[in-house]
Amino acid sequence: MSGNPTIELENIKKIYPMGTSGVTALAGIDLTVETGEMVAIMGSSGSGKSTLLNLLGCLDRPTTGNYRLTGENVSAMTKTQLAAIRNREIGFVFQGFNLLGKMTALHNVELPLIYTGAGKSEMARRAAEALGWVGLTRFSHHLPNQLSGGQQQRVAIARALVNNPTLILADEPTGALDSRTSLEIMAVIQRLHRERGITIVIVTHEPEIAGYCQRLIRLKDGCIISDQPVNRPGDALADLARYPAAGEVNSL
Amino acid sequence: MISNNLQVAFNGLKASKMRAALTMLGIIIGVAAVIMMIAIGQGAQAQISRQITGMGANLLVVFPGAGTGAVRGAGGNVNTLTWEDGLAVAELDQVTRVAPELSTNATLSFANQTWTTQVIGTTPEMTLLKDWPPATGLFFTPDDVQTSAPVAVLGQTAADNLFPPGQDPVGAQIRINKLAFTVVGVLTPKGAALSGQDQDNIVYIPVTTAQKRLLGVKYVRLLNVQATSPESMAFVQTSIENLLHERHRLGAQAANDFTVRNMTSLLEMAESTTAIMTLLLASVAAVSLLVGGIGIMNIMLVSVTERTKEIGLRMAVGATERHIRNQFLTEALVLCLTGGILGIGLGYGGAKIISALAGWPTAVSLGSVLLATGFSAGIGIFFGYYPAKKAAALDPITALRFEN
């Protein structure tokens, strides 16, 4: 890994063409996220946090400004190049899990590997390894609808990490889960950060979730209005241990 | 990547088996129809060629009277052709043999059994010309013709209807219109003609016997003339026309009182007719294949819309536009080719059943199989391309947010 910060945003603007003037979603963002940081982005709806996440995830390109991902200027890249960057450098975790319903957990995790050109046996091996890492080895051949919400999100996390990305972007990863399961998922994400040194950016509107990150960025009307370290970030695993036992029992 | 593409395509199709099967059905039926129609057409063509060549190879037929074919029963003109004309024609260059025909319907009787059939006066050349040897006994001889002998060669149907089973007709005395004849041979069965007429329901007797004893006339109805080769037929036709024009003492300006018809051109005409029929049948079948293709496009479009979110996700995890396009194109191609292969099987089976039921030879040619396979693959690419392109052009962000 190079000495470059994972994310460097320089005066990023995103203006959606609409009518004569256009709608400004991001009004000049400067942001640096160092490698191995775990950052939460908060903001009300319409603050531009989804737009920012899409830009960070190379799903979209800024109207103006530069985005360097591990030193590489991705704002000038073509769609095809961006697809390769997403495949290699970025893992996504979504609020709605976004698993393919007709495929087993293992095949869902294999999905990014299809586009790296990995061989069949290597795909299976790496997917099984990632599933093992999130503790779902025995659910490899289950379909998503045979899994609980927490398990599904863990499959999604396995899918995000299977290509060993430098950056994992999580868009409201606990938004569809109850509090206990949310804690479990945050514990997995913290472990991902701690054990594998992956840079993590979480978009959330729940302050408790942000409390498990190291740094909190608040957005409003397309601008960063505050950017500060989190005081004594929480430990989700420890909190989970104290959490009153509920229906689902999981060994992490 | 290709194996991955196939894997993904198969998974996609497996996910909605019923729909994939129904979509495929359109292609299956289309391909089967094309295969079957071509098989039937080519079978018919082979059948017609065989029957026409069965009438005699390199055959020219001389009819009395001018005009086209409708001379029989045309009154005064029918008696202009004689066996002596035939003998003169046989002397011409590049003529292999000549066999006259003088036919009439007559009643045959043996014991108390009677049978009405066509009796044809001819010469022994007939059996060579039609390549139609007797199965038992012999054909009558030139001597029999010379002496107007009362001898007869029966077709299989005439023999079957006149004689009880087990009795050998050869050597038996039968009566034709009350006159006594000796059966000298029975011909090998030939089957039905193109017109459906039973070619075995026939009796051959010497032409002189027919003229003098049966009908009391001096003419013949027609002359079958066999040329040495297909190339010599035009020459022979002209020679016959010149010779008979002279023999019949027609003036230089007078029209011929006979007609020479080239049976090879009849064969060519029949062949081109069946070729057109085959083309027509195959075109109709191709339309159903086209409809099947439109079905593919329809389903692929539905599939793309339904799987918008999947497409978005695949793009998010690194699929390029090309990956997505190829995925859907492969899916359409797999549908069409699988359908095509099943359709070839079904068409082949259908052609076999039709041959069995209709007693009609069908020919499934490699050409028609390749055509159908190529066509269904082409349909897959053509009708799969637009939906695949549409899928590839989706914006990953919008696609990911899509809810159905």
Side-chain angles (χ1 to χ4, degrees), chain B residues 97-355:
Chain B
R97 56 181 66 87
V98 175
E101 281 188 32
L102 173 58
S103 54
T104 182
N105 278 328
T107 302
L108 278 58
S109 58
F110 176 76
N112 44 14
Q113 192 70 26
T114 62
W115 181 251
T116 301
T117 185
Q118 194 182 24
V119 175
I120 298 176
T122 186
T123 60
E125 273 75 22
M126 184 61 104
T127 181
L128 299 169
L129 189 138
K130 292 214 168 184
D131 190 20
W132 196 11
T136 56
L138 297 163
F139 212 82
F140 50 79
T141 63
D143 271 356
D144 293 330
V145 178
Q146 210 67 57
T147 59
S148 311
V151 290
V153 179
L154 304 186
Q156 190 65 53
T157 306
D160 287 346
N161 283 286
L162 209 53
F163 292 94
Q167 177 166 358
D168 183 10
V170 178
Q173 288 283 326
I174 62 167
R175 288 182 177 274
I176 300 176
N177 283 359
K178 313 280 188 200
L179 295 169
F181 280 77
T182 306
V183 177
V184 293
V186 177
L187 293 163
T188 47
K190 202 164 189 176
L194 280 183
S195 54
Q197 186 194 346
D198 180 5
Q199 298 181 93
D200 296 318
N201 191 8
I202 205 170
V203 174
Y204 283 123
I205 59 173
V207 62
T208 47
T209 315
Q211 282 178 331
K212 291 174 191 163
R213 301 196 184 209
L214 215 55
L215 294 167
V217 298
K218 291 194 184 308
Y219 58 84
V220 294
R221 290 258 192 233
L222 57 89
L223 297 171
N224 293 301
V225 182
Q226 190 168 36
T228 50
S229 67
E231 293 74 38
S232 62
M233 293 185 75
F235 170 79
V236 172
Q237 180 162 2
T238 315
S239 308
I240 294 172
E241 280 165 359
N242 292 339
L243 176 77
L244 293 184
H245 195 86
E246 200 172 303
R247 278 182 64 89
H248 292 182
R249 295 189 171 78
L250 303 168
Q253 302 303 316
N256 287 341
D257 59 354
F258 59 91
T259 309
V260 182
R261 190 168 312 155
N262 184 335
M263 299 310 276
T264 303
S265 58
L266 186 71
L267 173 69
E268 280 163 6
M269 200 177 73
E271 275 181 342
S272 72
T273 310
T274 44
I276 289 169
M277 280 300 292
T278 307
L279 193 67
L280 190 75
L281 288 172
S283 310
V284 172
V287 169
S288 70
L289 197 53
L290 194 71
V291 172
I294 293 170
I296 294 265
M297 174 139 94
N298 198 0
I299 287 303
M300 292 310 295
L301 281 172
V302 171
S303 174
V304 167
T305 308
E306 261 188 11
R307 287 154 70 187
T308 300
K309 202 159 188 163
E310 172 187 334
I311 295 164
L313 176 73
R314 285 178 184 274
M315 284 177 159
V317 302
T320 60
E321 289 185 14
R322 195 198 173 97
H323 285 133
I324 298 295
R325 195 192 63 209
N326 287 353
Q327 177 189 338
F328 282 91
L329 214 48
T330 310
E331 223 166 276
L333 208 57
V334 165
L335 265 181
C336 283
L337 276 180
T338 315
I341 288 165
L342 292 176
I344 288 169
L346 188 71
Y348 187 78
K352 285 273 166 250
I353 289 172
I354 287 177
S355 323

Side-chain angles (χ1 to χ4, degrees), chain A residues 50 54 59-60 79-80 83-84 86-87 92 94 98-100 102-103 111-112 114-115 117-118 120 123 159, chain B residues 1 4 7-8 11 15-16 309-310 313-321 323-324 327 395-397 400-401:
Chain A
S50 298
N54 289 337
L59 290 166
D60 205 351
K79 279 179 165 183
T80 308
R86 289 198 295 270
N87 184 243
F92 289 94
F94 304 94
N98 275 359
L99 300 176
L100 299 185
K102 304 284 173 66
M103 289 181 144
L111 204 60
I114 290 177
Y115 304 108
K120 236 178 165 177
M123 272 170 58
R159 182 181 64 197
Chain B
M1 199 62 229
N4 269 336
Q7 181 80 35
V8 169
N11 285 342
S16 44
K309 202 159 188 163
E310 172 187 334
L313 176 73
R314 285 178 184 274
M315 284 177 159
V317 302
T320 60
E321 289 185 14
H323 285 133
I324 298 295
Q327 177 189 338
D395 169 41
I397 299 166
L400 270 170
R401 261 195 226 119

Side-chain angles (χ1 to χ4, degrees), chain A residues 135 138-139 148 151 154 180-181 184 240 244-252:
Chain A
R138 69 197 171 94
F139 296 101
S148 72
Q151 288 169 329
R154 278 194 276 157
R180 190 193 154 81
T181 318
E184 285 173 25
L240 191 61
E248 198 178 17
V249 180
N250 272 293
S251 54
L252 279 165

Side-chain angles (χ1 to χ4, degrees), chain A residues 167-206:
Chain A
L167 171 65
I168 284 187
L169 298 172
D171 187 4
E172 308 265 10
T174 60
L177 303 170
D178 61 43
S179 330
R180 190 193 154 81
T181 318
S182 295
L183 269 182
E184 285 173 25
I185 292 304
M186 284 316 293
V188 176
I189 293 177
Q190 279 193 323
R191 197 158 69 90
L192 200 62
H193 171 241
R194 211 168 39 235
E195 290 181 12
R196 300 179 75 119
I198 297 174
T199 310
I200 291 172
V201 175
I202 299 177
V203 164
T204 183
H205 58 263
E206 293 169 83

